[in-house]
Amino acid sequence: METILTINNLHKKFRHVHAVNNVSFEIKKGNVYGILGPNGSGKSTTLGIILNVVNKTSGSYSWFNGDLETHDALKKVGAIIERPNFYPYMTAYENLKLVCGIKGAPLEKIDEKLELVGLLERKDSKFKTYSLGMKQRLAIASALLNDPEILILDEPTNGLDPQGIRQIRDIIRHIASLGTTILLASHLLDEVEKVCSHVVVLRKGVVLYTGTVNGMISNEGFFELEANDKQSLKTILQQHPAIDKIEENESKLIVYLKESLEAADLNKYLSSQGIYLSHLVKRQYSLEEQFIQLTSSAK
Ligand code: ADP
Ligand code: MG
């Protein structure tokens, strides 16, 4: 699979803030990547560096296997990292015409991209009459005018109402389905879960997880168990090869797995050892629980 961007051991220090701390990841063509992290975790700084608007402290990144100079590579990148800013008294069409001039994109692209973001009917309305969601969609259309290889969005749904959020997410998924690679930064877990195939989790500038969103969701899970004789239950569980660690929570045992194990198989094993459970629940972490765990456990 073609590589769009490679980031190696990137650092950014602002005086005493280590905003980006040894970040490495790779972006492959056709995927949708999320940089997920709480506010202040270094998402915008990372995007600023790869877009050449923030100077890195150390480390490296290379666009398109380093085949192009950054300046030329960035012509194949569409990015929205600030609030959309267009001329308020000009129409959407007129604003995009100016952008076509700057980017050297053909004017036929304007209607095509306005249609893609659902603004074709409003192309002759002045920008100042647009809602925030429409402004954001116009910014996406503008970023797509020259058919970039990758679209980069920083917190694309910030400040929007639920309907606006949904429209933007639908558009991002649609653009991805047409083959454009996407990198978006978000502090919203459900946004990344709904829109992205891959995720880089950042906390205080440090990468805590990188991989597929599914890989993050599908750990082996854990059991909640209860039996009259809690001590023997624990002793017998400790001998099972699939069991990782055991915690006590009031009358229950919380049993974490290192390999997959079905509830029925565990129950059978325990009864063969003379243990009869009064309570058995298998739970899987949601991505949200994992995100909270990931972002709170790393000190
Ligand atoms: P995020 O986008 O994840 O919210 P940022 O990349 O904006 O995070 O910020 C990461 C850290 O770097 C924060 O602690 C922020 O205060 C700091 N920071 C960002 N830009 C600057 C700057 N220009 N000068 C000083 N500190 C900055
Ligand atoms: Mg930010």
Side-chain angles (χ1 to χ4, degrees), residues 38-297:
N39 289 329
S41 55
K43 304 181 297 294
S44 298
T45 304
T46 304
L47 296 184
I49 293 170
I50 61 174
L51 293 169
N52 211 18
V53 296
V54 173
N55 291 322
K56 62 189 164 69
T57 302
S58 66
S60 64
Y61 62 92
S62 86
W63 285 104
F64 308 107
N65 290 314
D67 295 341
L68 296 172
E69 293 292 326
T70 301
H71 178 76
D72 290 319
L74 290 178
K75 290 181 185 160
K76 303 210 281 175
V77 176
I80 306 166
I81 54 171
E82 284 165 356
R83 274 282 154 106
N85 210 355
F86 293 94
Y87 289 99
Y89 290 96
M90 285 168 63
T91 66
Y93 186 87
E94 289 164 346
N95 270 294
L96 293 193
K97 211 168 142 185
L98 284 180
V99 179
C100 278
I102 295 163
K103 293 190 173 181
L107 295 181
E108 305 89 80
K109 289 287 172 189
I110 299 177
D111 282 5
E112 178 193 321
K113 302 308 176 188
L114 285 173
E115 162 120 67
L116 185 64
V117 301
L119 287 175
L120 194 54
E121 272 116 69
R122 295 294 305 274
K123 69 188 241 185
D124 295 320
S125 302
K126 291 193 168 79
F127 177 70
K128 70 179 178 95
T129 67
Y130 273 19
S131 69
L132 185 60
M134 292 166 78
K135 289 176 176 172
Q136 184 67 344
R137 285 188 276 143
L138 184 64
I140 293 175
S142 173
L144 293 174
L145 282 172
N146 59 337
D147 291 320
E149 287 275 341
I150 177 169
L151 178 65
I152 297 181
L153 304 152
D154 194 358
E155 307 275 6
T157 61
N158 258 13
L160 303 186
D161 61 18
Q163 192 197 355
I165 290 174
R166 198 183 169 150
Q167 284 170 331
I168 295 287
R169 289 179 184 169
D170 286 347
I171 289 166
I172 294 171
R173 279 194 290 253
H174 182 57
I175 294 166
S177 74
L178 300 174
T180 305
T181 308
I182 292 174
L183 172 61
L184 67 87
S186 178
H187 68 287
L188 300 170
L189 180 73
D190 76 314
E191 182 149 292
V192 169
E193 200 171 2
K194 286 187 175 120
V195 175
C196 301
S197 57
H198 292 70
V199 62
V200 177
V201 179
L202 279 187
R203 181 181 179 266
K204 294 187 178 171
V206 177
V207 174
L208 299 182
Y209 173 86
T210 149
T212 62
V213 169
N214 286 337
M216 187 171 169
I217 299 167
S218 69
N219 68 3
E220 305 295 351
F222 61 93
F223 286 102
E224 273 179 22
L225 304 178
E226 203 173 337
N228 283 343
D229 186 350
K230 192 164 82 175
Q231 207 43 55
S232 352
L233 171 62
K234 195 171 175 179
T235 309
I236 285 165
L237 286 169
Q238 277 161 344
Q239 294 159 12
H240 196 289
I243 287 168
D244 188 9
K245 62 178 193 287
I246 302 170
E247 286 170 3
E248 299 196 22
N249 182 0
E250 294 175 9
S251 60
K252 296 190 184 72
L253 294 182
I254 311 296
V255 179
Y256 296 90
L257 300 176
K258 54 188 173 195
E259 292 166 27
S260 71
L261 178 59
E262 292 304 317
D265 294 331
L266 178 64
N267 204 5
K268 207 160 104 189
Y269 165 76
L270 289 171
S271 60
S272 77
Q273 302 290 316
I275 300 279
Y276 298 97
L277 295 169
S278 54
H279 175 91
L280 183 162
V281 173
K282 185 171 185 187
R283 289 192 59 195
Q284 205 85 12
Y285 281 125
S286 71
L287 184 53
E288 181 163 24
E289 286 168 296
Q290 287 188 67
F291 175 62
I292 290 164
Q293 214 186 33
L294 272 175
T295 52
S296 63
S297 63

